[in-house]
Amino acid sequence: MLLLFCMVFTALKLISDTILELSLLFFSRDSRGKP
């Protein structure tokens, strides 16, 4: 049970980090393109 919890927590953390990086990348591209 503890191993399963750790695996799920790690997967969610990895996914959230990836989404955050992609959103920051797209946001920076949009802000650079507008001005």
Side-chain angles (χ1 to χ4, degrees), residues 10-30:
T10 304
L12 289 175
K13 187 178 185 300
L14 180 62
I15 292 172
S16 63
D17 288 343
T18 304
I19 292 175
L20 178 62
E21 289 181 1
L22 287 175
S23 64
L24 288 175
L25 179 63
F26 287 132
F27 179 73
S28 64
R29 282 183 177 179
D30 290 341

